[in-house]
Amino acid sequence: MATRARRTQRRRQVLSREQIIDTAIELLDAGGEGGLTVRALTERLATGSGAIYYHVGTRDELLNTATETVIAAALAIKPARAPATPENEIRAVALGLFDAIAEHQWLATRLAVQLTRNPWGPVMVGIFEKIGRQVRALGVPQAAWFVAASTLVHYILGAVSQNARIDGDASGVEADVDREKFLDAASTAWQELDPADYPFMHAISGQVREHDDREQFLAGIALVLDGITNLR
């Protein structure tokens, strides 16, 4: 009887591609890539594996689709309470990606995979196109478009990934380490360095403890933009 009831529930449920993608993102948010399995999906959606494959394909295809969905939403964000200048558009894209990875930690790994293995796919093409149009709007000469856009994209992805836990990272750093304690330990270690041998590291030891990740990220964007505007 229990089996028949589950089958009846499945038949009555109208399963959509969007439901599967949304549920996949929830599983990824909760357990990283390891938490996204066909079995977990079928149990959460009360459906069969055949329906999953029919709507979204394989697990790898679903991972790519989930990544595309979250990134597309991040790229659609417009500058808040600021003129729609190229600089502000670039900051909006950068912050959209920063906040997306802060909310969906698994994205750090997926973006690294997309950048190194599938730069012609919709995720990287979408990011480069969004940034590249604003580089062009800044008046950068066409010969420097690729260098300027690549520098921005690599800085953005590198910086946002640094603030996220990367699945499969074997660095030995605990995933749930307290940020304040971690920065305090780094600051203390740098402060204890011999200032004669490490004058710079000794001098900035207090700054690392007090810095704000988001503000530091935006400061980096400003520095890159200053360099790009000199190409005009």
Side-chain angles (χ1 to χ4, degrees), residues 66 96 109 121 136 187 206:
T109 303
R136 182 178 63 181
S187 176

Side-chain angles (χ1 to χ4, degrees), residues 165-166 169-178 182:
R165 177 179 61 83
I166 299 181
D169 183 14
S171 63
V173 177
E174 296 180 12
D176 298 323
V177 66
D178 181 86
F182 179 81

Side-chain angles (χ1 to χ4, degrees), residues 2-133:
T3 301
R4 183 179 300 174
R6 285 197 295 270
R7 288 176 179 171
T8 301
Q9 180 185 8
R10 289 175 180 174
R11 282 198 298 269
R12 289 176 179 173
Q13 183 180 20
V14 180
L15 187 66
S16 69
R17 176 180 170 85
E18 289 72 24
Q19 278 180 292
I20 297 174
I21 295 170
D22 289 345
T23 303
I25 292 172
E26 291 174 5
L27 291 172
L28 286 164
D29 289 346
E33 289 192 21
L36 178 61
T37 65
V38 174
R39 181 176 181 178
L41 273 173
T42 56
E43 290 179 353
R44 180 73 67 89
L45 294 168
T47 189
S49 59
I52 302 295
Y53 292 123
Y54 173 79
H55 283 289
V56 296
T58 66
R59 177 181 178 277
D60 285 343
E61 290 172 324
L62 178 55
L63 267 172
N64 288 336
T65 301
T67 303
E68 293 168 21
T69 300
V70 175
I71 293 302
L75 295 179
I77 296 174
K78 296 294 182 182
R81 299 183 298 277
T85 62
E87 292 89 346
N88 286 335
E89 292 284 353
I90 288 171
R91 291 188 187 95
V93 171
L95 283 176
L97 293 172
F98 184 97
D99 292 340
I101 291 183
E103 183 177 356
H104 309 284
Q105 296 277 299
W106 52 273
L107 268 182
T109 303
R110 297 313 305 169
L111 287 177
V113 169
Q114 293 290 326
L115 182 61
T116 57
R117 300 181 186 175
N118 192 26
W120 48 81
V123 171
M124 283 301 122
V125 167
I127 292 174
F128 267 93
E129 181 66 26
K130 192 79 172 181
I131 293 292
R133 289 188 184 187

Side-chain angles (χ1 to χ4, degrees), residues 141-176:
Q142 185 170 353
W145 284 359
F146 175 70
V147 171
S150 296
T151 300
L152 272 166
V153 170
H154 282 88
Y155 169 76
I156 291 169
L157 297 185
V160 296
S161 295
Q162 185 180 357
N163 292 306
R165 177 179 61 83
I166 299 181
D167 289 342
D169 183 14
S171 63
V173 177
E174 296 180 12
D176 298 323

